[in-house]
Amino acid sequence: MTPLLELDKVSIHFPTRAGLLQPRLMLRAVDKVSLTVMRGETLAIVGESGSGKSTLGYSVAGLRPPTTGGIRLTPARAHPAGRDPVQIIFQDPFSALDPRMTVEDIVSEPLRLTEVGRKLRRDRVAEVLEQVGMPADAANRYPHQFSGGQRQRLAIARALIGDPELIVADEPLSALDVSIQSKVLNLLADIREKHGISYFFISHDFGVVRHLADRVAVLYLGRIMEVGPADDIFTSPSHPYTQALFEAVPRIGRGRRKRGSVLKGEIPSPIRPPSGCVFHPRCPKATAICSTDRPELLPAPGRPEQLSACHHKE
Ligand SMILES: Nc1ncnc2c1ncn2[C@@H]1O[C@H](COP(=O)(O)OP(=O)(O)O)[C@@H](O)[C@H]1O
Ligand SMILES: [Mg+2]
């Protein structure tokens, strides 16, 4: 199997200031992340808000170059010049679609830079609208005429129209009504079956991740805490951070929810991240080494495919 996407020590830093007269500091939103996504595979990225998931997703989608490190895409087939084999679906379907553009113009936007005749373009828009379960006459209407779930279908149609190999989906269900979430989730799963698409799927909903992901990467303060096959991570999480995340969700937690979950409080600032293992101030297993040495991402005991960045991994 050939990797479709390879991230090699990707870091994404933002220059910031604590105040007007303060020196410039670096906010390390993503810090030396290495990951691969195989062809046809769905990699889920999980972690608390502020852990760098969206920032990483934008870089994968080509919207923001990494500060350092490499992102390599190896498509399985040729793509016409000007057509990006990576597309993105955003969290909020209300702000993601330009209210002044017709659905046809919005959905066909990824074809903009390629030579496509008007008739062909129209046919292709009708085709993808059908694929996402929208009526053909939606093409001449405007985004405000549709519900949140329908708008997210339009965003999916736009992502599909250029025949991509990878779709970055940044919490694509979280702005939708619960009643609609499973329908859109099923649509994303169908699309993957039919088109052999890979997903870089950002989510904090473990039910959704469990349903869709082949592999899971757990991000905290811009770093990968744990990555591996979804089944292994859900049945035997190795990293205390992953364990704490699961404990915070009673229905998939191992056993009953523990009182006094370790994930109290906010995640520390990525401007001055904790030394050593960034999770150590909140970690129930932390010892002296955790505040001094950054743990490497290495296989969990007896599980060669499940990597965990912890001095006390299980
Ligand atoms: N454009 C930006 N400028 C400065 N800081 C940013 C920018 N975008 C994100 N950040 C910061 O980077 C960190 C990661 O943010 P984000 O990628 O949105 O996390 P997540 O999607 O996991 O919630 C946060 O501390 C956030 O405040
Ligand atoms: Mg985000």
Side-chain angles (χ1 to χ4, degrees):
M1 265 224 291
T2 318
L4 173 63
L5 175 75
E6 293 162 281
L7 306 186
D8 181 26
K9 298 201 194 81
V10 168
S11 294
I12 305 162
H13 298 167
F14 298 110
T16 49
R17 279 175 212 278
L20 204 58
L21 301 174
Q22 301 296 311
R24 248 167 60 130
L25 297 165
M26 278 301 166
L27 185 153
R28 294 161 200 274
V30 174
D31 196 23
K32 299 200 186 99
V33 166
S34 297
L35 282 173
T36 54
V37 180
M38 305 305 278
R39 287 177 183 154
E41 183 176 74
T42 294
L43 174 70
I45 310 290
V46 305
E48 285 164 284
S49 176
S51 53
K53 305 181 298 296
S54 294
T55 303
L56 186 62
Y58 296 161
S59 276
V60 168
L63 302 176
R64 175 179 291 136
T67 313
T68 58
I71 297 183
R72 180 159 64 170
L73 191 80
T74 312
R77 48 193 157 81
H79 293 262
R83 206 178 288 176
D84 199 336
V86 185
Q87 293 293 325
I88 185 165
I89 303 168
F90 296 100
Q91 175 171 6
D92 180 6
F94 292 90
S95 59
L97 310 179
D98 189 331
R100 295 156 304 181
M101 285 165 71
T102 63
V103 165
E104 177 169 309
D105 288 341
I106 289 170
V107 169
S108 63
E109 202 267 344
L111 305 181
R112 178 176 43 103
L113 296 175
T114 34
E115 287 294 319
V116 181
R118 185 149 176 79
K119 166 86 169 72
L120 205 64
R121 198 177 75 142
R122 208 166 251 179
D123 291 350
R124 185 71 185 123
V125 168
E127 197 181 335
V128 287
L129 285 177
E130 197 199 325
Q131 277 170 16
V132 301
M134 293 292 287
D137 68 6
N140 304 316
R141 293 157 73 185
Y142 289 87
H144 73 262
Q145 295 174 282
F146 298 97
S147 67
Q150 289 173 319
R151 287 187 211 204
Q152 206 57 314
R153 287 175 193 271
L154 297 176
I156 295 167
R158 173 174 64 185
L160 276 181
I161 199 164
D163 219 358
E165 293 188 42
L166 178 68
I167 292 180
V168 175
D170 187 1
E171 309 207 31
L173 309 175
S174 59
L176 307 180
D177 287 347
V178 174
S179 59
I180 295 160
Q181 286 183 356
S182 64
K183 290 187 182 146
V184 175
L185 178 61
N186 289 337
L187 172 63
L188 290 169
D190 282 354
I191 285 168
R192 179 176 61 176
E193 297 308 312
K194 287 201 190 96
H195 302 269
I197 279 175
S198 298
Y199 289 121
F200 193 89
F201 193 89
I202 298 166
S203 177
H204 56 241
D205 183 332
F206 293 119
V208 169
V209 170
R210 226 177 179 176
H211 186 78
L212 206 63
D214 301 305
R215 284 167 66 242
V216 175
V218 182
L219 213 59
Y220 181 72
L221 272 182
R223 300 187 193 178
I224 295 180
M225 297 288 112
E226 176 162 9
V227 58
D231 287 345
D232 296 349
I233 291 200
F234 279 109
T235 50
S236 41
S238 157
H239 198 288
Y241 179 62
T242 316
Q243 293 168 0
L245 272 181
F246 287 178
E247 269 163 25
V249 186
R251 71 201 144 89
I252 64 123
R254 301 180 305 165
R256 241 176 297 129
R257 181 178 190 161
K258 286 192 193 137
R259 287 207 315 171
S261 162
V262 292
L263 285 183
K264 266 197 230 139
E266 308 240 310
I267 86 175
S269 164
I271 296 175
R272 282 196 183 72
S275 58
C277 170
V278 284
F279 186 55
H280 86 262
R282 294 168 93 189
C283 183
K285 288 193 185 159
T287 57
I289 190 178
C290 304
S291 57
T292 53
D293 294 18
R294 177 171 177 166
E296 278 183 71
L297 199 52
L298 293 170
R303 280 169 279 159
E305 285 184 88
Q306 187 178 349
L307 310 182
S308 178
C310 177
H311 295 298
H312 308 294
K313 53 179 151 299
E314 277 180 19

